[in-house]
Amino acid sequence: MPQFSRRFVAVSCTVLITLYVSRAGGVDGPTGGEAGRTVTTAEPPARLSASAAAGAEPGSGAGSAAGPGGDTGGDGKATGDQEAADPGVMGRSGLAEVAARVRVLAGLDIDAGQQPEGIAVEPDGSTVVTFAHTRQIARISPAGKVRVLATLPAPPPSAETPAVGEPFLGGIVRAGDGTLYVTYGTGTAELTGVWRLSPDGGGMRRIAVLPADGLPNGIALDSRAGQLYVTDSVAGVILRVPRGGGRAVVWSSDPLLAPDPAGFAGANGIRVHRGAVWVTNHDRGTVLRFPVTGSAEAPAAGRPGTVAEGLGEIDDLEFTGDGDTLLVTGVTDSRLLLIRGRDGGGGGDRDGGGGGASAGRAVVPVLDEDDGLRNPSALARDGARMWIANSAHYTLAEPRVLVMPVPRWAGRLTGDG
């Protein structure tokens, strides 16, 4: 979800406290294209190895891309060797063992504005993150060293980004060739949109214009169809943009994506997975699944289903493997939740999303603040490991990136065998 700087929180804390205590359609995509604005980078993004670049896509094991939205590409599941070598993977021993194996990859500097909003994984185990209000994209090495790759241009001082006030650098996704895509909201038509950072050090360019009166947030890549999907948390829509850039169109404006009338943000985290687009709704605490229909050139949104509900104020989601079991971040109360997938098929859920079955999937808390969570805003997975970006949005202390074994469902956790 959108994160605020401490200055913004200090100004608006009364409003936010009132909002959260009191709570127990579409937009035409404008014409987009290359804006031609280039930003100098400190270091080009890492490249895939030659073998991986030959055809590996995110999630294939050669290095997955997953930010607040990511295309898992291949199955992305841990192999038997990985699971045997990593006893923290959830099994009959339950969740305590997983929590015990969480470690801090990097402790970040909140005074420098290092509050991560989006995260993606690179082949060497590095992560790339967005720092929402410093407008920076940074790489964090496996040893925890932080290096800024690029800083997006600042809007005029008079500009006001919807819902958050300040410029907001949102989700990030990494393509198989090392290209990074991010969302950027500024309240101005000149800068709001999808931006691309090329792996050859060529700088950043805006590849699609997005509505200035919205808040672009999560981003996902469908690498096979060459499409990017973006959530607008204020408008409550999903936008679609060609991977190469161009005009953004509203892919879905279903009412299930809208913010709560007394709330703050609707559609938020997003993933492309198993022939569907999966989205969280921050205010409503729901996970939605939209089957992708139509052609690769013009994919359309099928009727959505509600996968899970009643989750509280949530942000991102990520899958634990090639099935439909997934993790969701509870951003306000610092929780990580495991939601059981359906065996086989695409996951029929309530409201007709792929089968019309009940949305009553089992939900198990995995981690909380005692395990090191500080308002987790994003997840990324590569094989048997999961990375968690902690924004410290409400704690205003200890922003950090954590890494842990991927938790996997064990039936005995709920007594269902």
Side-chain angles (χ1 to χ4, degrees):
M1 69 173 281
Q3 312 302 326
F4 305 103
S5 67
R6 286 188 290 178
R7 178 174 68 81
F8 182 86
V9 170
V11 173
S12 58
C13 62
T14 302
V15 176
L16 288 174
I17 290 171
T18 302
L19 170 65
Y20 286 107
V21 169
S22 66
R23 289 168 45 213
V27 185
D28 287 336
T31 301
E34 294 286 354
R37 186 185 297 270
T38 301
V39 181
T40 302
T41 59
E43 175 190 340
R47 298 170 181 262
L48 286 175
S49 66
S51 59
E57 287 294 340
S60 64
S64 70
D71 176 12
T72 56
D75 59 21
K77 62 186 177 182
T79 65
D81 289 342
Q82 285 175 310
E83 294 195 8
D86 194 345
V89 172
M90 185 195 300
R92 291 283 176 176
S93 59
L95 292 166
E97 191 174 346
V98 176
R101 291 178 57 81
V102 176
R103 67 180 180 86
V104 177
L105 173 67
L108 302 172
D109 185 354
I110 195 167
D111 292 326
Q114 295 181 344
Q115 292 179 265
E117 172 63 22
I119 188 168
V121 184
E122 297 193 310
D124 65 352
S126 299
T127 58
V128 283
V129 298
T130 55
F131 293 142
H133 290 292
T134 61
R135 315 185 317 277
Q136 294 175 332
I137 301 172
R139 172 178 291 118
I140 302 175
S141 74
K145 181 180 179 181
V146 179
R147 179 185 291 273
V148 174
L149 302 178
T151 301
L152 273 75
S158 60
E160 184 171 344
T161 306
V164 298
E166 300 177 336
F168 175 72
L169 185 58
I172 185 169
V173 65
R174 183 183 189 277
D177 63 359
T179 301
L180 300 174
Y181 301 89
V182 298
T183 60
Y184 187 38
T186 66
T188 69
E190 292 75 22
L191 296 175
T192 300
V194 176
W195 290 68
R196 179 180 65 203
L197 179 58
S198 300
D200 58 6
M204 295 206 69
R205 290 184 178 274
R206 186 170 65 160
I207 65 169
V209 176
L210 297 180
D213 60 354
L215 184 67
N217 195 345
I219 185 168
L221 170 65
D222 184 342
S223 56
R224 294 182 178 90
Q227 301 288 333
L228 293 161
Y229 293 89
V230 174
T231 57
D232 185 322
S233 295
V234 166
V237 301
I238 302 171
L239 299 140
R240 179 173 58 81
V241 177
R243 175 177 171 175
R247 184 175 183 269
V249 298
V250 174
W251 190 71
S252 177
S253 56
D254 192 278
L256 293 174
L257 297 167
D260 186 277
F264 170 64
N268 198 331
I270 187 167
R271 286 288 187 280
V272 177
H273 182 74
R274 296 186 68 176
V277 173
W278 304 64
V279 182
T280 63
N281 186 311
H282 168 264
D283 286 349
R284 300 177 187 275
T286 54
V287 177
L288 308 171
R289 177 183 179 274
F290 291 78
V292 178
T293 64
S295 65
E297 296 75 20
R303 186 158 62 100
T306 301
V307 174
E309 55 194 352
L311 303 179
E313 291 167 339
I314 58 176
D315 197 321
D316 199 21
L317 73 161
E318 179 61 288
F319 293 88
T320 62
D322 63 342
D324 287 348
T325 297
L326 65 148
L327 293 167
V328 173
T329 58
V331 64
T332 306
D333 55 5
S334 295
R335 294 188 302 159
L336 184 65
L337 305 173
L338 182 73
I339 301 173
R340 184 175 189 174
R342 301 207 178 270
D343 296 332
D349 300 300
R350 187 166 62 80
D351 299 327
S358 170
R361 300 190 185 198
V363 178
V364 174
V366 179
L367 302 176
D368 59 24
E369 196 169 42
D370 291 340
D371 302 305
L373 296 187
R374 301 292 183 265
N375 310 129
S377 60
L379 298 168
R381 180 181 63 85
D382 186 14
R385 292 185 294 172
M386 186 77 66
W387 285 260
I388 307 170
N390 284 269
S391 66
H393 169 49
Y394 297 105
T395 65
L396 296 179
E398 298 182 311
R400 52 178 57 153
V401 173
L402 306 178
V403 62
M404 63 180 289
V406 172
R408 300 185 183 280
W409 187 268
R412 70 180 296 179
L413 291 173
T414 57
D416 60 6

